[in-house]
Amino acid sequence: MSKINEITIKIVEKWLRKGNMARCLRNVLPYTRLSLRERERIARAMHSIARWKRWYDFLIDYYELERSARTYVELATNKLKVDFEEAEKALPEEKRLAIRYSFSDYISGILEKNFPELIDYLNREPLTTLCVNLNKISREEAMDTLAEEGFKSKPLKLPTAILTEPIARYSSLIKEGKAHVQDEASQLVAKITSSLGRKILDYCAGTGGKTLAMASITRNVAKLYAYDIDKTKLDILKQRASLYKAKVKVIYKLGKTFDVVLVDAPCSGVGVARRNPEAKYIDKKTCEEFAEKQLSILEEASKRVKKDKYLVYSVCTFTPKETTEVVDKFIARFDFELYKIEHEGIKNGFTSLPEGDIFFIAIFKRAK
């Protein structure tokens, strides 16, 4: 058995015990002495196992295979030959889509009813998108750097977005603050937000993905403020902003009001299931819990919006509980009206980009 397979099996064993695939990869891969491309092969295999786990579980039961890490790895790498067509015929009709495409019953029901075009899309292995820091480098220069380092790339629709290989996460562009990894849909949310006013608060800033994107998109013209309940993340954001040469004021205590407040709220993450396949198995109860939290965050963030100005709500999910139902409840309870979004790449409130994740965005305008 190759060293790569041995390590992959070790990580799968850990994941089956503890969950959280990304953490399992972080805890093992950096210490393997493998090349970056070898590590990427392992990461792809792990993504495949998580992506198709419900289908693999069915195959294991149907063919009475050993339920072991090795079996999952052999299924994911096509080393274990099984007859998919025969197994598909044995699928229970009421769960056919959920099992064959590996979604929770809840998510498969939403997809089948509202988003059938996403069923295949969410099971594709994505490439990586970078957000170029236009305050330090042009997109063309960034692509030249990637080419010099041996990475393929191409420009996407947004002027800050480059599609490239996953391994380009290790490019000098990232280390030098000339770009950061960020899906084009996320960049689109930042672009729309930054178009609504000059004084902007990123209310759930985290470590600053959208904050840095807005600094790049506006060429540091916007007055950007970043806040998060997690102060450790804000400390990281401050360091990133310095490296990025981004004009961002990190605030640890709220008091001011703003032209635009962005709430990129915690969510189920099923809209980014191509990158985080574990999100495919989220259940209704969890989404309901997220929705309660999202509405609460919107209520607090709304206090920071000036009269006649804007509150932007975004989540990387498409469940009704976390999107349209949150919007309806917020409008019913608070003195805001829904502001119509007319922007290329947005359809019925959802991002629609050929290479992008699925985000939901709603804009509320505060009454005068």
Side-chain angles (χ1 to χ4, degrees), residues 25-85:
L25 286 166
R26 287 196 303 270
N27 288 346
V28 176
L29 282 185
Y31 310 102
T32 58
R33 297 186 180 180
L34 295 174
S35 70
L36 294 180
R37 292 198 180 274
E38 286 172 326
R39 292 188 210 175
E40 203 58 43
R41 279 177 59 190
I42 292 174
R44 281 200 305 272
M46 287 296 302
H47 274 89
S48 182
I49 291 165
R51 183 174 292 118
W52 296 105
K53 186 174 184 297
R54 191 169 184 186
W55 172 233
Y56 289 166
D57 285 342
F58 181 83
L59 292 174
I60 288 169
D61 290 340
Y62 183 75
Y63 287 109
E64 298 181 345
L65 304 171
E66 180 186 6
R67 190 175 295 277
S68 67
R70 184 186 300 275
T71 301
Y72 286 110
V73 171
E74 290 179 348
L75 284 168
T77 54
N78 296 314
K79 290 180 180 175
L80 186 60
K81 302 302 179 185
V82 295
D83 190 334
F84 281 12
E85 289 186 11

Side-chain angles (χ1 to χ4, degrees), residues 194-210:
S194 62
S195 72
L196 295 170
R198 193 175 176 200
K199 187 179 178 184
I200 303 168
L201 170 65
D202 189 350
Y203 187 82
C204 301
T207 58
K210 289 183 179 63

Side-chain angles (χ1 to χ4, degrees), residues 164-176:
T164 185
E165 304 173 60
I167 198 173
R169 296 192 308 272
Y170 302 102
S171 164
S172 65
L173 292 175
I174 309 297
K175 296 171 186 173
E176 296 170 9

Side-chain angles (χ1 to χ4, degrees), residues 175-303:
K175 296 171 186 173
E176 296 170 9
K178 294 176 179 176
H180 64 279
V181 176
Q182 186 178 40
D183 185 80
E184 191 180 19
S186 183
Q187 294 181 48
L188 180 56
V189 170
K191 181 175 185 289
I192 292 170
T193 300
S194 62
S195 72
L196 295 170
R198 193 175 176 200
K199 187 179 178 184
I200 303 168
L201 170 65
D202 189 350
Y203 187 82
C204 301
T207 58
K210 289 183 179 63
T211 317
L212 297 178
M214 287 190 282
S216 174
I217 290 163
T218 65
R219 310 301 200 279
N220 272 335
V221 169
K223 290 185 176 180
L224 294 173
Y225 297 78
Y227 172 79
D228 197 277
I229 196 169
D230 187 333
K231 309 311 178 192
T232 303
K233 288 182 179 179
L234 288 180
D235 291 341
I236 294 170
L237 194 163
K238 192 180 283 189
Q239 293 170 7
R240 293 181 76 194
S242 175
L243 177 65
Y244 221 75
K245 292 193 180 341
K247 292 183 179 178
V248 177
K249 185 171 183 179
V250 174
I251 53 178
Y252 294 86
K253 198 170 183 179
L254 292 168
K256 297 181 180 181
T257 56
F258 302 84
D259 299 329
V260 188
V261 176
L262 169 62
V263 173
D264 185 43
C267 70
S268 62
V270 70
V272 297
R274 295 181 308 152
R275 303 173 198 288
N276 178 24
E278 288 171 297
K280 296 169 64 188
Y281 308 110
I282 208 88
D283 60 22
K284 183 178 180 180
K285 184 175 182 295
T286 303
C287 292
E288 288 172 341
E289 290 168 354
F290 272 119
E292 288 178 13
K293 187 181 220 178
Q294 290 152 0
L295 195 57
S296 174
I297 293 171
L298 278 173
E299 179 181 0
E300 289 303 312
S302 70
K303 298 171 185 176

